[in-house]
Amino acid sequence: MMTYAKTSEFDDEEVYLSEIAKVLSHPARIKIVKILQRTDSCMVKDIVKDLPLAQATVSQHLKELKRVGLIEGEIDGPKICYCLNKEELKKAQKAFIVLFKSVCC
């Protein structure tokens, strides 16, 4: 029997929060967000220097962060400059604050 995600059974806010939480569930992605917070933008090679991971692995993590909109990548010649998407981060922060306020005492 095959199982599948019934995301249509959940509201947009629940799906959004779960996607953000899933992407941030890996410590390398948390570290990448912290690295990008320290600078306006940087290249993959600069991010790789701060992580104990291969460039291909870091690129996959960047791809996931970009997929949900937490970071942006801008092509600069043959390279891609990454930076935080502060508007999307604020949106995620607000959504999590609303969630935690509603479930905490």
Side-chain angles (χ1 to χ4, degrees), residues 3 17 26 31 55 57 71 82 90:
T3 61
L17 285 168
H26 196 289
K31 181 72 170 183
Q55 182 169 337
T57 304
I71 66 170
Y82 288 96
K90 287 177 189 176

Side-chain angles (χ1 to χ4, degrees), residues 29-64:
R29 296 180 191 149
I30 301 276
K31 181 72 170 183
I32 289 168
V33 169
K34 288 179 174 181
I35 292 166
L36 291 174
Q37 185 271 328
R38 295 190 311 244
T39 182
D40 287 335
S41 66
C42 62
M43 306 286 184
V44 176
K45 66 181 177 97
D46 299 320
I47 297 168
V48 169
K49 290 178 188 176
D50 285 343
L51 294 169
L53 303 170
Q55 182 169 337
T57 304
V58 172
S59 292
Q60 286 299 311
H61 287 302
L62 289 164
K63 180 180 174 184
E64 284 301 298

Side-chain angles (χ1 to χ4, degrees), residues 63-77:
K63 180 180 174 184
E64 284 301 298
L65 288 164
K66 188 175 178 187
R67 180 182 62 80
V68 298
L70 295 180
I71 66 170
E72 298 173 329
E74 191 172 304
I75 297 173
D76 181 18

Side-chain angles (χ1 to χ4, degrees), residues 80-96:
I80 300 176
C81 255
Y82 288 96
C83 64
L84 295 177
N85 180 343
K86 293 183 181 181
E87 289 305 311
E88 192 64 32
L89 285 163
K90 287 177 189 176
K91 177 183 170 186
Q93 178 187 38
K94 182 179 177 185
F96 278 104

